């Protein structure tokens, strides 16, 4: 592999590690937070969270990836700096507009989120983070465009660590100071701005470097990087990347504007609807955790796919895609079945009650289509075949809203869970259908599907059986559930490893692609020295 290829893979590794740390932090902190503030406090936070989530996706995923792409296209440093400067001013203008929209429109947003005007200060608090987006997006994107992934990785971890620490500290202090859940929610959302400021301080030198050198008149007159040409590309390419990265956040946004009111039609009082929405929102961190490993594998392999496209290595592209798809399908499938099997215990251990376990079992089914959509759209991006995907995302949001209206008044939060999972299926079908037919030729052996389904069934029975027996023998207290959960998870992992080994579900190359997979494979084959 040449030097640029090595840099690319090293960079992908750094971003993957940072992404895993950030995702785990983002999922795990909600557990002590919910334990401190309760389901109603969790509802207050989760109602406004999608606004924060959209900001993070823009500043971390969508815009920086687009900026890095447009930076790498430039012939020299002078062009790169001019493009970065113009993008900064456009993003500052957009961020200003988003701040005005959220801060000024807070009363309208609060009314839309179930008519709860107590959410007003919570919504206003989150709006301040938008001012830091131009600095973070341009700083990260400019560095990535020069194959320097470290600033993005470190700033991402700084932002998450700072935010999580502030939120937990606020929740702890607020509960002991007898604050209302809305005051705690306001300060918890304000943590987003403080965390963004910390990340901006780290990345400030890169942003400053964009203005180091004067730009010649000839470069300024280059029409390919004119002001409106850049804006057009930002709107079409940058926003598409952001929408793809934030698909689940956008579905959360639909829930914020519809679920509470629909739960009241279902027959719940205002307080009971808020409480039930808080229980339903427990599913978000569980889905994030379920997607971590499969997402990490796809993230690390995608730069390799892009290299194959550039070098016209069709056979290697097909082989790597098929391996990535199989691994992601297996890992997302086993993560889903494992979570479903141990859900009552997980719910008890993490959130102190077993309320809503049935709804959460359905909710985690989202892991499979969400993971496969992520992989499919990423491959389409590498092939420049993303035309019309933005409309597909909007269609998915509309389907989610329609399913909410149909299912929640009949089935409560179980209906909301089904609506989330089912809304992703049309998009999954269309994305998979748009991938080139050549990618699907001989992508699995003749008995692969029966072996895969048998493996999932074995994990479901093994882990679920342990969970059920543990509940009968030790009871359902939090401590007893923790012991049951640990045993069930270990049994599930052992059953999974034995099944994929005995059934030869993975090739040797696929074993080696998994983290520490070569050690497990050699041990099972008796080759361990």
């Amino acid at each position: 592999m040449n030097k640029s290829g090595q840099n690319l893979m090293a960079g992908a590794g750094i971003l993957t590690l940072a992404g895993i740390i950030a995702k785990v932090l983002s999922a795990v902190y909600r557990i002590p937070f919910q334990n401190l503030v309760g389901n109603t406090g969790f509802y207050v936070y989760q109602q406004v969270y999608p606004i924060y989530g959209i900001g993070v996706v823009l500043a971390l995923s969508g815009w920086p990836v687009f900026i890095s792409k447009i930076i790498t296209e430039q012939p020299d440093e002078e062009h790169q700096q001019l493009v970065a400067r113009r993008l900064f001013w456009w993003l500052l203008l957009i961020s200003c507009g988003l701040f005005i929209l959220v801060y000024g429109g807070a009363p309208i947003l609060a009314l839309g989120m179930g008519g709860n005007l107590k959410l007003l200060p919570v919504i206003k608090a989150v709006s301040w983070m938008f001012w830091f987006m131009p600095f973070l997006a341009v700083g990260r994107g400019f560095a990535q465009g020069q194959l320097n992934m470290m600033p993005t990785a470190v700033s991402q971890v700084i932002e998450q660590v700072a935010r999580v620490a502030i939120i937990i500290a606020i929740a702890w202090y607020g509960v002991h100071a007898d604050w209302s859940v809305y005051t705690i929610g306001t300060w918890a959302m304000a943590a987003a701005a403080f965390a963004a400021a910390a990340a901006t301080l780290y990345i400030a030198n890169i942003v400053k470097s964009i203005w180091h050198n004067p730009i010649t008149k000839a470069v300024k007159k280059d029409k390919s990087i004119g002001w409106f040409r850049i804006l057009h590309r930002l709107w079409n390419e940058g926003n598409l990347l952001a929408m793809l990265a934030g698909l689940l956040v956008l579905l959360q946004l639909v829930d914020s504007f519809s679920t509470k009111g629909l739960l009241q039609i279902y027959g719940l009082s205002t307080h009971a609807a808020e409480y039930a929405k808080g229980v339903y929102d427990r599913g978000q961190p569980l889905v994030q955790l379920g997607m971590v490993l499969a997402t990490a594998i796809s993230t690390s392999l995608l730069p390799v796919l892009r290299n194959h496209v550039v070098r016209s290595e069709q056979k290697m592209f097909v082989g790597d895609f098929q391996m990535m798809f199989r691994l992601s399908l297996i890992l997302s499938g086993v993560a889903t079945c494992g979570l479903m099997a141990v859900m009552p215990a997980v719910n008890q251990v993490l959130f102190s009650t077993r309320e809503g376990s049935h709804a959460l079992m359905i909710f985690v089914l989202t892991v499979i289509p969400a993971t496969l959509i992520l992989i499919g759209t990423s491959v389409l991006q590498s092939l420049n075949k993303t035309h019309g995907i933005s409309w597909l995302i909007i269609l998915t949001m509309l389907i989610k809203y329609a399913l909410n209206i149909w299912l929640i008044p009949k089935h409560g939060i179980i209906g909301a869970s089904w609506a989330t999972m089912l809304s992703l299926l049309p998009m999954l079908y269309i994305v998979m259908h748009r991938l080139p037919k050549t990618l699907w030729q001989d992508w699995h052996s003749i008995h692969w599907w029966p072996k895969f389904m048998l493996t999932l069934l074995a994990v479901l029975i093994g882990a679920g059986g342990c969970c059920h027996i543990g509940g009968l023998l030790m009871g359902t207290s939090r401590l007893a559930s923790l012991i049951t959960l640990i045993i069930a998870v270990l049994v599930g992992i052992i059953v999974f490893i034995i099944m994929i080994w005995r059934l030869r579900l993975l090739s040797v190359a696929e074993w080696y692609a998994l983290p520490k997979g070569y050690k497990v494979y050699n041990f099972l084959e008796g080759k361990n020295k």
Side-chain angles (χ1 to χ4, degrees):
M1 188 183 283
N2 60 30
K3 191 175 179 182
S4 67
Q6 289 173 339
N7 288 341
L8 195 64
M9 289 309 296
I14 291 165
L15 283 180
T16 300
L17 179 61
I20 291 171
I21 293 168
K23 275 182 178 293
V24 170
L25 279 172
S26 178
V28 169
Y29 84 89
R30 288 185 173 102
I31 295 158
F33 182 75
Q34 185 273 345
N35 283 209
L36 285 164
V37 302
N39 285 321
T40 305
F42 196 49
Y43 151 80
V44 170
Y45 180 78
Q46 285 291 124
Q47 277 294 87
V48 182
Y49 177 83
I51 298 173
Y52 161 77
I54 289 166
V56 166
V57 164
L58 290 172
L60 182 64
S61 309
W63 287 346
V65 171
F66 162 71
I67 292 166
S68 68
K69 181 183 176 184
I70 200 170
I71 291 293
T72 54
E73 291 172 1
Q74 304 313 310
D76 53 48
E77 191 177 354
E78 202 176 344
H79 280 79
Q80 288 179 346
Q81 290 194 355
L82 180 62
V83 166
R85 290 180 200 181
R86 288 178 173 174
L87 280 166
F88 177 85
W89 293 118
W90 277 125
L91 292 182
L92 188 63
L93 188 65
I94 292 167
S95 297
C96 177
L98 288 171
F99 173 79
I100 292 167
L101 185 69
V102 175
Y103 191 92
I108 297 167
L109 291 171
L111 286 171
M113 292 177 178
N116 189 353
L117 288 175
K118 290 180 182 177
L119 289 173
L120 205 63
V122 189
I123 296 168
K124 286 184 175 181
V126 78
S127 66
W128 292 100
M129 68 161 290
F130 288 113
W131 289 111
F132 298 98
M133 282 167 42
F135 301 93
L136 293 172
V138 172
R140 288 163 171 167
F142 189 77
Q144 284 174 224
Q146 298 176 326
L147 293 182
N148 179 10
M149 307 299 171
M150 195 60 79
T152 297
V154 175
S155 66
Q156 183 181 1
V157 173
I158 287 171
E159 188 173 359
Q160 276 294 0
V161 169
R163 191 173 72 90
V164 168
I166 293 168
I167 287 172
I168 299 303
I170 284 165
W172 182 86
Y173 179 80
V175 168
H176 286 83
D178 205 26
W179 287 1
S180 75
V181 290
Y182 292 95
T183 304
I184 293 172
T186 299
W187 283 101
M189 276 301 163
F194 293 117
T200 300
L201 285 173
Y202 172 77
I203 217 161
N205 285 335
I206 293 170
V207 181
K208 278 185 197 172
S209 71
I210 294 164
W211 275 273
H212 272 177
N213 302 321
I215 308 295
T216 59
K217 285 183 179 178
V219 173
K220 286 181 181 179
K221 289 179 179 178
D222 187 342
K223 289 182 180 179
S224 67
I225 53 171
W227 283 97
F228 289 101
R229 172 68 179 154
I230 286 174
L231 177 64
H232 182 262
R233 290 192 61 183
L234 175 65
W235 185 257
N236 285 304
E237 297 174 46
N239 286 352
L240 170 63
L241 291 168
M243 289 173 77
L244 287 170
L247 179 59
L248 291 180
V249 175
L250 292 171
L251 296 185
Q252 276 182 262
L253 190 66
V254 175
D255 277 326
S256 290
F257 283 101
S258 60
T259 302
K260 182 194 164 187
L262 291 168
L263 285 171
Q264 288 176 276
I265 296 171
Y266 175 62
L268 301 182
S269 67
T270 300
H271 177 73
E274 291 175 358
Y275 185 91
K277 173 68 164 53
V279 172
Y280 166 72
D281 284 331
R282 295 176 184 183
Q284 298 294 343
L286 296 176
V287 168
Q288 279 187 295
L289 286 174
M291 290 180 67
V292 163
L293 192 57
T295 304
I297 287 174
S298 67
T299 303
S300 60
L301 280 171
L302 280 170
V304 179
L305 293 183
R306 290 193 188 101
N307 265 349
H308 293 331
V309 172
V310 170
R311 296 172 184 173
S312 300
E313 297 167 340
Q314 177 65 16
K315 191 174 180 181
M316 293 177 75
F317 181 93
V318 171
D320 283 345
F321 163 77
Q322 290 181 353
M323 180 173 73
M324 178 178 68
F325 188 83
R326 281 192 301 268
L327 283 175
S328 297
L329 182 57
I330 290 167
L331 291 171
S332 61
V334 79
T336 300
C337 288
L339 279 169
M340 290 176 73
V342 300
M343 185 56 73
V346 167
N347 204 6
Q348 179 80 47
V349 170
L350 299 183
F351 302 108
S352 75
T353 71
R354 298 195 172 205
E355 293 171 290
S357 292
H358 188 191
L360 297 178
M361 284 182 192
I362 296 162
F363 199 112
V364 295
L365 286 170
T366 306
V367 169
I368 299 172
T371 300
L372 300 184
I373 286 170
L374 176 70
I375 290 165
T377 51
S378 299
V379 174
L380 289 174
Q381 284 173 49
S382 71
L383 296 167
N384 290 322
K385 291 187 176 182
T386 53
H387 181 71
I389 295 290
S390 297
W391 291 108
L392 194 53
I393 294 167
I394 293 166
L395 177 64
T396 301
M397 292 174 70
L398 291 172
I399 292 170
K400 162 66 175 165
Y401 183 67
L403 287 170
N404 272 3
I405 291 171
W406 178 38
L407 295 172
I408 294 174
K410 293 179 181 178
H411 307 289
I413 58 172
I414 291 174
S417 296
W418 276 117
T420 299
M421 201 280 290
L422 293 173
S423 67
L424 292 172
L425 297 184
M427 183 170 182
L428 175 63
Y429 173 78
I430 294 167
V431 167
M432 293 296 120
H433 189 70
R434 287 184 67 172
L435 291 171
K437 300 282 189 294
T438 52
L439 295 180
W440 300 112
Q441 288 176 4
D442 303 318
W443 76 272
H444 61 80
S445 59
I446 190 167
H447 298 301
W448 190 88
W449 277 109
K451 290 177 182 179
F452 175 53
M453 299 309 292
L454 196 60
T455 300
L456 295 186
L457 186 63
V459 170
L460 202 59
I461 293 170
C466 280
C467 213
H468 182 68
I469 292 165
L472 292 175
L473 294 177
M474 292 185 285
T476 57
S477 69
R478 205 167 191 180
L479 180 60
S481 294
L482 177 61
I483 296 167
T484 299
L485 179 61
I486 291 167
I487 295 168
V489 167
L490 288 173
V491 168
I493 291 169
I494 291 166
V495 168
F496 171 61
I497 291 170
I498 290 171
M499 290 296 291
I500 59 174
W501 172 59
R502 296 293 295 176
L503 295 176
R504 301 294 174 186
L505 191 62
L506 297 182
S507 67
V508 177
E510 285 164 348
W511 275 104
Y512 277 51
L514 290 168
K516 304 293 181 185
Y518 67 96
K519 287 188 176 181
V520 177
Y521 179 74
N522 288 337
F523 173 77
L524 291 170
E525 291 289 322
K527 298 175 184 176
N528 203 34
K529 295 179 182 178

